Amino acid sequence: MLKKWPFILMTLTMVFALAACGSANNAAPQGDAATGTDNKAATELTGNILAVGSTALQPLVEQAGQKFMAVDKYKGIAVQVQGGGSGTGLTQVSGGQADIGNSDVFAKEKLESGADELVDHQVAVVAMSAVANPKVGVTDLKKDQLVQIFTGKITNWKEVGGADQKIVIVNRPSSSGTRATFEKYALGQKTEDLPGSIQEDSSGTVKKLIAETPGAIGYLALSYIDNTVTTLKYDGVEANVENVEQGKYPVWAYEHMYTKGEPKEHVKAFLDYILSDEIQKSDVVDLGYIPVSGMQVKRDADGNITK
Amino acid sequence: MEPIEGKAYMEQNKRSRGMKERHYWEEWTGRIYTSVCVVFLVAVIVSIVYFVASKGVATFAVNGVSLQEFFFGTKWSPDGEPKSFGALPFITGSFAVTVLAALIASPLSLCAALFMTEIVPKSGKRILQPAIELLSGIPSVVYGFVGLTVIVPLLRDVFGGQGIGILAGCLVLSVMILPTITSIMADALSSLPGGLRESSYALGATRWQTIARVIIPTLLPALLTGIILGMARAFGEALAVQMVIGNAPHIPQSLLESASTLTSVITLSMGNTAMGSVHNNALWSMALVLLLMTFIFVLLVRLLERRNRI
């Protein structure tokens, strides 16, 4: 008799696993809707929030989600955060599989259709800076020098006043949000991938390669920069929080959390929580982002800046 | 044997009938269980193939990218103006790292397998086999990181240049496929049809002659099976290669220049592109190419197996 138990157990496990797989996508929104109406009368909000997308924003949303669920008022709400990239986040929120789509770029820059239905919630700002291997002997680049380097017209550091060293470009893949931001606001144009350039998607790997490869240049979000690489000034302006907030340093982008239409009550509670001083003044700063509240300039999807 | 009588006989009869019933029941649960699993497996396989194929074909059918551009174009610029979707650099890169990795790993694996089965079977099995099996248990991100930290700087110091590139990729891959090839070869060698080895020794052949003239030629198809399965693994490996190969979408001029493979481009860009966009579909087309290559590898293994039987 005992021999049969493992089999029965396995069959049951499989059946449950299958059932779980099948219902995960369909049942969740129904559950949300049901709890939404049930709790109109009650004061406490309940429901599930699934936030998917940008890996650059993921640490913040995860940390904020943990704190949010620990708040007494919101203990009925479960926040789940997944990575997958900005494209995945935008696709899933626009398709209704996720409640929130995290993205490094404006939705209309990435989605071919359906961007109009999405409501943008800008929760933080990320600034990027060009960085180089410490031995190249350059600490400041003009915009057109940077453009010529990234388009392959300047191939040696001595042409911009540095060491006699071949330039190695460490880029992001052409679909990356960080690269899109850097190209749009630092270079002012799209660049093609040059033969011999290196592409990596993880900021950690990019930093490691720039620190180790002679003559390497790339770009990183401020939170990733440390003293193993040289931060290059842009047109003489240093990349730091004050310069970004005052609008002097242009290479930055919003971190977006998109919802399809206006957010439901419990989702709105979470978004409001992220925008509250509690998160903006502590977690956002700790994790290396810049709070949106401190920004003295605003920017729209076309790059127009208003004070 | 003495006949069993009375109560004892009845007792045993009852027990054996109970056993029979139980066996019958066991037989049926086993059968139902396995059938359910098989149906589930087949459904999964069919749906994966269907999904990848429908997505992959969309690039050509819906977005109107020509087959010629995809397979023979050398310019990959999915976000540029005008967009172009030439996947040849990635296809070349995939084949280059796979073939080179197999060239490096196969002789090493053959020697390890021979050592384990022909030269010192006892200590070979006890020490070498677990060590090699350990290699296959290491996650590929670890291989990638070791490659990035050890192999890339080493190549840079020895040969100059970036260090990153096809050579680094195939070195990492060759270590990764070593256990696959070795264990399949060792299994083949230890299953050598009886008497062949002994007959060879009986004719006065030395051990080396036996290995070179009898064992290897007899088992060649099985040994090749090991190599092909190793290549299949190398062709599909993504993460480790992506970290050390550089991923520039160009056909490199040297082994030490940044290059890409199909898998590295897929992992690099899939998350950043929106489902249904041309860029995303083009990545699925590459996945389809990978899938078809896997079919070809499996087909080759089947053919070799058939030859092996004769």
Side-chain angles (χ1 to χ4, degrees), chain A residues 4 10-11 18 84-85 87-88 91 110 112 174-175 192-193 195-201 205 208-209 212-213, chain B residues 25 33 40 75 79 148-149 156 162 164 242-243 246-250 257-258 268-269 271-275 277:
Chain A
K4 260 176 297 190
M10 256 178 87
T11 320
L18 280 175
T88 309
T91 314
K110 189 71 90 179
E112 285 170 1
S174 56
S175 52
E192 292 200 349
D193 297 307
S197 67
I198 297 168
Q199 286 185 29
E200 294 290 343
D201 198 32
T205 313
K208 189 173 159 61
L209 279 172
E212 291 172 359
T213 312
Chain B
W25 201 72
Y33 179 73
F40 177 71
K75 190 160 185 276
D79 295 311
L148 199 60
T149 323
R156 195 161 50 215
Q162 303 172 347
I164 251 173
Q242 185 211 305
M243 286 170 86
N247 308 307
H250 295 275
E257 196 179 294
S258 173
L268 218 55
S269 316
N272 288 323
T273 53
M275 245 345 184
S277 62

Side-chain angles (χ1 to χ4, degrees), chain B residues 211-281:
Chain B
I211 290 173
R213 306 273 169 78
V214 177
I215 297 178
I216 292 181
T218 316
L219 294 174
L220 198 61
L223 299 178
L224 286 175
T225 304
I227 296 177
I228 288 170
L229 285 174
M231 284 172 77
R233 169 143 198 230
F235 204 79
E237 171 52 40
L239 198 55
V241 179
Q242 185 211 305
M243 286 170 86
V244 298
I245 201 166
N247 308 307
H250 295 275
I251 298 175
Q253 303 293 315
S254 81
L255 291 180
L256 289 160
E257 196 179 294
S258 173
S260 302
T261 63
L262 291 165
T263 47
S264 75
V265 174
I266 294 175
T267 49
L268 218 55
S269 316
M270 196 57 106
N272 288 323
T273 53
M275 245 345 184
S277 62
V278 205
H279 191 170
N280 191 270
N281 283 343

Side-chain angles (χ1 to χ4, degrees), chain A residues 52-116:
Chain A
V52 182
S54 159
T55 44
L57 183 53
Q58 197 179 0
L60 174 64
V61 183
E62 254 166 19
Q63 198 164 313
Q66 293 299 327
K67 278 178 106 173
F68 178 74
M69 285 188 283
V71 176
D72 251 3
K73 198 163 45 152
Y74 303 125
K75 63 177 188 293
I77 304 176
V79 181
Q80 207 194 338
V81 186
Q82 290 171 9
S86 303
T88 309
L90 289 170
T91 314
Q92 295 218 352
V93 72
S94 137
Q97 293 107 326
D99 303 293
I100 298 174
N102 299 333
S103 172
D104 305 333
V105 293
F106 283 96
K108 70 176 187 185
E109 293 179 77
K110 189 71 90 179
L111 288 181
E112 285 170 1
S113 62
D116 304 335

Side-chain angles (χ1 to χ4, degrees), chain B residues 1-276:
Chain B
M1 235 172 75
E2 266 178 57
I4 310 162
E5 282 184 19
K7 235 180 179 174
Y9 176 80
M10 294 277 282
E11 192 67 14
Q12 206 208 9
N13 201 17
K14 206 167 134 197
R15 206 188 302 150
S16 87
R17 217 184 315 141
M19 288 279 271
K20 226 180 227 167
E21 244 166 58
R22 202 196 296 167
H23 284 315
Y24 186 73
W25 201 72
E26 271 177 1
E27 173 83 15
W28 273 102
T29 37
R31 216 177 255 198
I32 291 166
Y33 179 73
T34 43
S35 324
V36 167
C37 290
V38 166
V39 168
F40 177 71
L41 254 180
V42 170
V44 166
I45 293 167
V46 168
S47 46
I48 287 177
V49 173
Y50 171 75
F51 183 73
V52 175
S54 64
K55 283 261 173 200
V57 168
T59 318
F60 312 110
V62 181
N63 306 119
V65 177
S66 75
L67 276 170
Q68 182 166 357
E69 183 192 347
F70 186 79
F71 285 103
F72 299 106
T74 52
K75 190 160 185 276
W76 174 258
S77 153
D79 295 311
E81 287 295 332
K83 297 179 180 205
S84 50
F85 297 94
L88 188 64
F90 314 137
I91 298 172
T92 325
S94 274
F95 276 101
V97 287
T98 306
V99 170
L100 285 173
L103 281 180
I104 298 172
S106 307
L108 292 174
S109 303
L110 182 61
C111 292
L114 283 171
F115 186 80
M116 260 159 43
T117 50
E118 302 296 325
I119 297 167
V120 279
K122 238 183 209 158
S123 56
K125 274 242 147 51
R126 214 170 42 214
I127 301 163
L128 205 54
Q129 196 160 22
I132 284 170
E133 276 160 10
L134 200 70
L135 279 183
S136 64
I138 299 173
S140 56
V141 63
V142 174
Y143 279 105
F145 197 70
V146 170
L148 199 60
T149 323
V150 181
I151 295 178
V152 169
L154 189 79
L155 291 176
R156 195 161 50 215
D157 293 343
V158 176
F159 298 107
Q162 303 172 347
I164 251 173
I166 287 187
L167 190 58
C170 72
L171 284 177
V172 168
L173 273 182
S174 60
V175 181
M176 291 186 74
I177 64 176
L178 209 64
T180 315
I181 307 185
T182 309
S183 48
I184 292 168
M185 282 184 169
D187 282 350
L189 287 172
S190 54
S191 69
L192 188 70
L196 275 178
R197 195 182 284 125
E198 290 75 5
S199 320
S200 173
Y201 286 136
L203 287 170
T206 61
R207 182 152 69 183
W208 173 242
Q209 285 168 331
T210 308
I211 290 173
R213 306 273 169 78
V214 177
I215 297 178
I216 292 181
T218 316
L219 294 174
L220 198 61
L223 299 178
L224 286 175
T225 304
I227 296 177
I228 288 170
L229 285 174
M231 284 172 77
R233 169 143 198 230
F235 204 79
E237 171 52 40
L239 198 55
V241 179
Q242 185 211 305
M243 286 170 86
V244 298
I245 201 166
N247 308 307
H250 295 275
I251 298 175
Q253 303 293 315
S254 81
L255 291 180
L256 289 160
E257 196 179 294
S258 173
S260 302
T261 63
L262 291 165
T263 47
S264 75
V265 174
I266 294 175
T267 49
L268 218 55
S269 316
M270 196 57 106
N272 288 323
T273 53
M275 245 345 184

